[in-house]
Amino acid sequence: MQGVGGADSTNEGETNKLSGGKGHYFIRVCMRGELIRLPMLLRIENEKGYDLQRKLYQKAKQEPEFRFYSLYDKVYRGDILETAYNRCRSNRGKPGIDGVTFEQIETQCLSEWLESLKEDLRGKSYRPQAVRRVNIPKADGSTRPLGIPTIRDRVVQMAVLILLEPIFEADFEDCSYGFRPGRSAQEAVSAVKEHMDQGFLAVYDADFKKFFDSIPHEVIMETVRKRIADKGILSLIRQWLKVPIVERGGPRQGKKNHQGTPQGGVISPLLANVVLNELDQAWNEEGGPRRKHNARLVRYADDLVILARYIGKPLRDKLFECVTRLDLKLNEDKTRIVDGKGWGEKFSFLGYGFSYNAGRVWLRSSKKAVKKLQEKICQIVTREKLKIGLEEVISELNVVLKGWKAYFSQSTRQKEFRDLDFYIAGRFYRLGKKLSQRRSKLFKRGVYATLKSQGLYSLSGGLPVNA
C-alpha cells in the first residue's frame, strides 16, 4: 500500500494487525530502500483509521522537519470520532462540569450526539467547557489536583490524540516510557536495572515541582508548533489549555487558567511528553551528557532518574539548563544524588526500591508503595464488611493483590511478599476476634485454613506464613 511520502509497506502477521492486545507490535515498512519497523501506535480497530496513523508516522519519520498542515478535517471524520468515543467510554471516567454521563448519551441516541459534535467541529463552533477539578489525597498528606473535562471535550481530545500521537511518536526518544503506546512502567524499571547492572550506580533522582500545573502554555504551544502547522488543531489545543477551572466552593464560572495542562485531560500526557522530549533530545544528542559523560536518562512522564558512573557539577548543570529552558523547576527537597551501592532501599522509581549489593541489582516494592497497599487492605478488610460476608471481602481484596503482584513481578525480594501475607492474615484475625464480645466463630478452623479455603490470593505464591 502506498503511504504518505512514497513509503511502501509490507505487514507482518496480518491477523494481528488490528489487535487490541498490550505490548510491542511492529509492521515492516520500506522507506527509500531501507526496511524499518514501525510501532503499532493506538491499534485503531478500523482499517481506514489504522492506515491514516501509519501514513502520519511514516511521513514524520521520513521528514523530521516537516510541519503537518492538513489535519483538522480528520478530527470530525466519522470513524475517528466513533473510535474516540469508544476509547473514552472504555476508560469509564466520571462526568465533567455538565454532569452528562455515557449512559445518558447512549440513552438519548449516540449517533445523533456524535453527528451534532461532528457538525460543531466542521462549522468551527465547538467550544470546550470548564474543567471540573477534584483533589486526590497523596501519601505525604498533600493533594494532587485532577482536572475532569466533559465527555464531549474528552472525545474531541481523543480524536486529536489519534492524529497527533503517531506524528510525535516518530520524534520521541527511547529513554521515554510514560503514556506511550506499547510502553510501560515495568519497561522503565527494567531499563534502570539494566543500566545499574552495567555499572551505572551513581543516581541523580530528580523530581519536577508541580509539573502538570506549572508548564507554561507558550512552551507547550511552541513545542507543538515544531510539528503542527494546522491552525485548527493549534486553536483546539490552546482552547483546552485556557478553559477555566471549577473547584468545589469556588466561583461557578471557574478560575482563569494561565499555566499548566489539566492532569486528567486526555491530551495532557501527550503534551507533557512533547515538552519533555526537548529534555530527552538535548540529553541524547551529539555532545550531550549521554555521549559526553556516559550518563543514561530514564523518564516516565515527569518522573526521571539519571544514572552514571559519577555525577558531578557538569551533569547537574546540564539538567538545570534543560529544565530552565522549558521554564520548569525541579523540586529541590526531593531531588538528590544517591549512591546505588549497599543494602536497603537506596532510591525509588515508579514504586520500586533499588539497591546494588553482592554483585547484583536488588528490586523490591518501595516503602511508600507497601504503606499504600497496607492502607488499601485496611479499607477493604473492615469489621462492617466482615459482618456482611467473608467471601465478598476476599473477592474484593484478591483483585487488588493480583494487580499488586503483577506490577511488582520484577521484585527480587520474596520476603516482602511473605511479610505482606502475614500482615493480611493478621488483619483478618484481629478483626475476626472483635466481631462480637464472644469469641468469633468466623475463624473457628484457624485463620490460615479459613482464608485458604475461601480462596484468598497469596502474594508469596504458596500458603500464608506459618500456615
Side-chain angles (χ1 to χ4, degrees):
M1 182 178 293
Q2 188 72 16
V4 175
D8 299 307
S9 66
T10 303
N11 294 337
E12 292 181 304
E14 188 71 24
T15 55
N16 291 328
K17 182 177 176 182
L18 302 179
S19 167
K22 296 180 181 179
H24 288 294
Y25 181 74
F26 293 86
I27 59 171
R28 295 190 307 166
V29 175
C30 182
M31 288 187 181
R32 297 173 183 172
E34 181 184 357
L35 197 63
I36 69 168
R37 283 148 58 91
L38 302 184
M40 187 53 179
L41 303 171
L42 280 179
R43 299 175 294 273
I44 297 269
E45 289 80 3
N46 64 81
E47 192 82 25
K48 193 176 176 183
Y50 166 76
D51 283 340
L52 174 61
Q53 282 200 315
R54 178 180 58 82
K55 291 176 182 179
L56 290 172
Y57 181 90
Q58 288 178 217
K59 182 70 172 178
K61 199 69 176 176
Q62 284 179 311
E63 302 182 36
E65 304 298 322
F66 184 81
R67 297 179 69 216
F68 291 79
Y69 54 84
S70 183
L71 296 172
Y72 185 82
D73 62 314
K74 315 295 188 302
V75 175
Y76 54 81
R77 222 171 70 177
D79 61 316
I80 298 295
L81 280 181
E82 185 177 349
T83 299
Y85 178 86
N86 290 335
R87 291 194 179 281
C88 291
R89 182 73 167 88
S90 67
N91 291 335
R92 300 191 297 262
K94 298 288 185 181
I97 195 67
D98 60 359
V100 176
T101 65
F102 289 104
E103 290 76 15
Q104 290 173 335
I105 292 171
E106 290 161 13
T107 298
Q108 294 172 3
C109 186
L110 174 58
S111 60
E112 291 182 5
W113 187 88
L114 288 172
E115 186 62 31
S116 173
L117 180 56
K118 177 179 178 179
E119 290 305 313
D120 286 347
L121 288 166
R122 190 205 303 271
K124 297 194 175 179
S125 60
Y126 163 82
R127 296 293 181 272
Q129 294 178 268
V131 169
R132 180 168 69 91
R133 173 173 285 177
V134 295
N135 292 306
I136 309 299
K138 296 174 68 175
D140 60 4
S142 62
T143 59
R144 175 171 61 91
L146 187 69
I148 305 177
T150 64
I151 292 175
R152 187 170 179 268
D153 293 334
R154 295 207 292 268
V155 170
V156 181
Q157 287 188 25
M158 181 64 78
V160 172
L161 178 68
I162 288 171
L163 299 175
L164 297 191
E165 187 156 47
I167 295 171
F168 288 107
E169 271 294 318
D171 296 337
F172 288 160
E173 297 284 320
D174 287 340
C175 63
S176 167
Y177 294 88
F179 305 111
R180 294 183 60 188
R183 294 198 153 210
S184 66
Q186 286 91 338
E187 288 180 301
V189 169
S190 295
V192 173
K193 180 181 181 299
E194 181 180 344
H195 294 324
M196 293 182 71
D197 277 329
Q198 294 170 352
F200 299 94
L201 300 176
V203 182
Y204 197 9
D205 186 7
D207 185 79
F208 286 100
K209 189 173 184 179
K210 296 182 177 180
F211 174 74
F212 279 91
D213 297 331
S214 63
I215 315 175
H217 289 169
E218 200 46 51
V219 171
I220 295 175
M221 297 307 300
E222 181 183 340
T223 51
V224 171
R225 278 195 294 263
K226 288 184 176 181
R227 273 304 203 171
I228 307 301
D230 189 305
K231 292 183 179 180
I233 297 291
L234 294 174
S235 175
L236 287 176
I237 294 175
R238 188 173 288 280
Q239 288 181 65
W240 292 325
L241 294 175
K242 295 292 185 183
V243 291
I245 305 293
V246 177
E247 297 184 86
R248 179 177 292 182
R252 293 181 61 185
Q253 70 274 17
K255 298 186 299 184
K256 291 183 178 180
N257 187 23
H258 299 291
Q259 63 180 12
T261 178
Q263 194 169 358
V266 174
I267 200 74
S268 296
L270 176 65
L271 297 179
N273 271 334
V274 170
V275 170
L276 289 178
N277 190 53
E278 298 289 308
L279 166 63
D280 300 342
Q281 290 180 337
W283 201 265
N284 294 316
E285 67 185 2
E286 193 71 37
R290 179 180 174 91
R291 298 177 185 272
K292 189 174 182 180
H293 303 289
N294 206 12
R296 313 300 172 88
L297 170 68
V298 179
R299 183 176 65 80
Y300 187 94
D302 59 328
D303 290 328
L304 65 92
V305 290
I306 295 166
L307 301 101
R309 301 188 190 280
Y310 171 77
I311 293 180
K313 191 172 183 298
L315 277 180
R316 300 197 304 271
D317 288 349
K318 182 61 178 181
L319 180 62
F320 180 78
E321 174 193 326
C322 294
V323 171
T324 303
R325 192 188 308 154
L326 297 172
D327 281 344
L328 298 172
K329 293 181 180 179
L330 291 176
N331 188 332
E332 295 182 3
D333 294 333
K334 295 183 178 180
T335 299
R336 61 196 182 120
I337 297 176
V338 181
D339 182 359
K341 295 179 182 178
W343 291 107
E345 182 182 316
K346 293 301 179 180
F347 71 97
S348 63
F349 180 62
L350 300 177
Y352 274 86
F354 293 79
S355 63
Y356 185 91
N357 201 287
R360 63 172 295 187
V361 178
W362 297 89
L363 298 180
R364 58 170 296 161
S365 49
S366 68
K367 297 174 184 176
K368 186 176 177 181
V370 170
K371 183 180 178 182
K372 194 172 181 179
L373 175 63
Q374 290 174 338
E375 290 173 353
K376 185 67 176 177
I377 291 168
C378 291
Q379 292 172 8
I380 295 174
V381 186
T382 64
R383 290 175 65 182
E384 292 72 19
K385 290 185 178 180
L386 285 177
K387 289 177 183 177
I388 297 172
L390 182 60
E391 283 187 24
E392 290 78 3
V393 175
I394 288 179
S395 177
E396 183 181 355
L397 184 58
N398 278 349
V399 173
V400 174
L401 297 180
K402 289 177 181 178
W404 168 275
K405 184 62 179 290
Y407 183 78
F408 289 103
S409 60
Q410 296 186 66
S411 176
T412 56
R413 308 281 298 198
Q414 291 301 308
K415 182 179 182 298
E416 70 182 51
F417 294 130
R418 294 194 295 271
D419 290 345
L420 283 168
D421 278 340
F422 187 82
Y423 176 87
I424 294 165
R427 175 75 180 173
F428 275 103
Y429 179 71
R430 288 190 299 273
L431 292 182
K433 287 176 61 178
K434 297 177 182 178
L435 284 179
S436 66
Q437 291 183 353
R438 295 183 178 183
R439 184 175 180 84
S440 172
K441 296 183 180 180
L442 182 63
F443 298 115
K444 187 176 180 179
R445 297 168 51 199
V447 62
Y448 301 112
T450 302
L451 293 176
K452 180 186 176 185
S453 67
Q454 292 292 328
L456 177 65
Y457 182 77
S458 172
L459 290 171
S460 59
L463 295 175
V465 178
N466 296 333

